[in-house]
Amino acid sequence: MAARRLRYAYFEQLRRDIGAAAICVAHHRNDNVETVLMNLVRGTGIHGLVGIRPQNGNVVRPLLCISRDDIEAYLHSKGQVYVTDSTNLVPDVLRNKIRLKLIPMLMDINSNAVDNIQRTSEYISEAVKVYDESVQADIAKVKQDEEGRTVIDIRRLTALVSPEAVLHGILKDYGFTPLQVVQIYANIHAPTGRIMSSSSHDLAFDRGRIIISTRKAPLPSMGLPEPGTYIYAGTRKLRIERQDIEEGFHIPRKAFKACIDADKVKFPLALRPVQVGDRFVPFGMNGSKLISDYLTDRKKDIFQKKEQLVITDATGMTVWLVGERTDNRCRITTSTTRALLLSFSEVHEFV
């Protein structure tokens, strides 16, 4: 496989260098039949039974419809010699075992076995076109992209003719294997919060939905020793300013701006992800509430909860659930003389 990658990379570079339209390779009908049988043994599914495609990007295979015997007979008629790779004559790897042992056995059973397998591959190739079009139409019914995540409606999915096939059509693009798709579908009604992972993405069951998100590194914690401007995680900025409350002072009403009583909080502050057990007193309320419960009430999914940030002061009191609400204990009142203004945004948005 390493040699194959190098070979095709060289062919592609050469194609570009000489301005060629395509790369022609000499795979023939027997190669295709071997591939179909290999994929059948491996359980690659309906697409694997299509075999080798006549065209894959810039690579074309004009001899796929011709047998090895026909090619050898043509070369013989022209007096053209050819070289046989000696490694192809040893039944060690899977393809060689199929070529040297399985196919001769099949030909003993039916002399037209190779032709019949090739014809079946062509039939399946046509059927796959119908299958793929149907699956894509059903994917559009159940899948939505929301705020950088993919969301699948479980109720709509399970109402389809073949929900598992549609689920596979979605999840294969996120690194989930066919076996994982079977496991995910078997747990389609798992309780909210359960997570399954591929090599690149996390999948969570959440209140009748499947949510897929790119796997991200845990968010860091940052100390905030004094007012100023801080860069967080390389992409976001937090600005903290003290300001005397004078005539004409206005409390900002934007989600990612907060205004609190500067004398009710104690530095250093800390900016960090929400932790299990964190509580705060939401602005306008008197009793405390678990932040996780508050986020659930706000219909936040498990990935949004993981990404939720909070600012606390030196006593551990919550100052601001970033982008959501400040803590009622440090609210601005008629007796407040100094305010602490907090602004949080993406670096490129910050002015």
Side-chain angles (χ1 to χ4, degrees), residues 8 41 78 87 89-90 99 124 189 207 241 248 259 268 276 278 281 298 300 309 314 328-329 348:
Y8 277 97
V41 170
K78 296 294 185 182
T87 63
L89 304 178
V90 182
R99 176 184 298 141
I124 292 175
H189 298 296
R207 293 166 292 188
E241 301 175 272
C259 184
V276 175
D278 279 347
V281 181
R298 292 276 291 151
K300 300 291 185 180
L309 297 171
N328 198 58
R329 292 169 291 182
H348 67 275

Side-chain angles (χ1 to χ4, degrees), residues 209-230:
R209 303 178 299 168
I210 292 173
I211 301 174
I212 308 161
S213 177
T214 303
R215 184 174 300 151
K216 300 175 183 175
L219 291 170
S221 298
M222 172 182 280
L224 312 168
E226 61 185 15
T229 300
Y230 298 86

Side-chain angles (χ1 to χ4, degrees), residues 242-247 249 337-339:
R242 281 198 186 98
Q243 184 173 332
D244 292 334
I245 293 184
E246 300 173 342
E247 186 177 351
F249 177 82
T337 58
R338 293 192 308 165

Side-chain angles (χ1 to χ4, degrees), residues 25-299:
V25 294
H27 290 119
H28 47 73
R29 184 168 58 189
N30 299 65
D31 293 322
N32 185 57
V33 169
E34 292 165 9
T35 299
V36 169
L37 291 172
M38 285 175 62
N39 290 341
L40 182 62
V41 170
R42 289 169 171 165
T44 55
I46 188 172
H47 289 87
L49 300 183
V50 170
I52 303 174
R53 296 183 181 278
Q55 180 170 358
N56 184 12
N58 293 318
V59 176
V60 297
R61 301 179 174 91
L63 303 182
L64 270 184
C65 59
I66 303 173
S67 72
R68 178 185 179 89
D69 289 343
D70 289 338
I71 294 172
E72 289 183 355
Y74 175 79
L75 292 175
H76 179 73
S77 70
K78 296 294 185 182
Q80 174 66 57
V81 297
Y82 59 91
V83 176
T84 298
D85 184 347
S86 60
T87 63
N88 290 339
L89 304 178
V90 182
D92 49 1
V93 297
L94 178 59
R95 182 178 288 275
N96 285 3
K97 290 178 181 178
I98 289 174
R99 176 184 298 141
L100 301 174
K101 292 186 173 183
L102 179 57
I103 290 181
M105 187 182 301
L106 293 174
M107 294 293 286
D108 282 342
I109 296 171
N110 184 338
S111 60
N112 294 318
V114 170
D115 291 340
N116 291 341
I117 293 172
Q118 172 67 22
R119 193 176 302 111
T120 298
S121 172
E122 293 168 358
Y123 294 155
I124 292 175
S125 179
E126 291 302 307
V128 161
K129 296 176 184 178
V130 179
Y131 171 87
D132 285 345
E133 183 175 337
S134 176
V135 167
Q136 289 303 314
D138 281 348
I139 286 175
K141 297 175 184 176
V142 302
K143 171 180 169 285
Q144 285 187 320
D145 294 320
E146 299 178 1
E147 300 177 0
R149 294 184 299 278
T150 295
V151 179
I152 303 170
D153 187 304
I154 291 176
R155 181 184 61 80
R156 291 180 181 177
L157 176 68
T158 54
L160 298 175
V161 172
S162 183
E164 190 170 341
V166 174
L167 189 62
H168 178 267
I170 297 172
L171 297 185
K172 64 181 176 60
D173 293 333
Y174 299 95
F176 290 92
T177 66
L179 180 58
Q180 284 181 303
V181 174
V182 171
Q183 294 171 338
I184 291 166
Y185 185 68
N187 291 275
I188 197 75
H189 298 296
T192 292
R194 180 169 182 180
I195 294 179
M196 302 179 77
S197 301
S198 71
S199 58
S200 58
H201 288 76
D202 291 323
L203 176 152
F205 297 92
D206 183 271
R207 293 166 292 188
R209 303 178 299 168
I210 292 173
I211 301 174
I212 308 161
S213 177
T214 303
R215 184 174 300 151
K216 300 175 183 175
L219 291 170
S221 298
M222 172 182 280
L224 312 168
E226 61 185 15
T229 300
Y230 298 86
I231 303 295
Y232 179 75
T235 60
R236 287 174 279 187
K237 278 188 179 182
L238 173 67
R239 179 180 291 167
I240 306 175
E241 301 175 272
R242 281 198 186 98
Q243 184 173 332
D244 292 334
I245 293 184
E246 300 173 342
E247 186 177 351
F249 177 82
H250 293 288
I251 296 175
R253 302 296 181 185
K254 294 183 178 180
F256 285 91
K257 292 182 181 290
C259 184
I260 57 178
D261 190 320
D263 297 316
K264 292 179 181 176
V265 298
K266 184 177 180 180
F267 278 89
L269 306 181
L271 173 64
R272 60 170 175 79
V274 170
Q275 298 173 355
V276 175
D278 279 347
R279 304 184 73 92
F280 82 134
V281 181
F283 180 81
M285 298 177 62
N286 293 320
S288 70
K289 188 180 185 75
L290 279 170
I291 290 179
S292 60
D293 289 344
Y294 172 87
L295 294 174
T296 297
D297 293 343
R298 292 276 291 151
K299 307 299 184 185

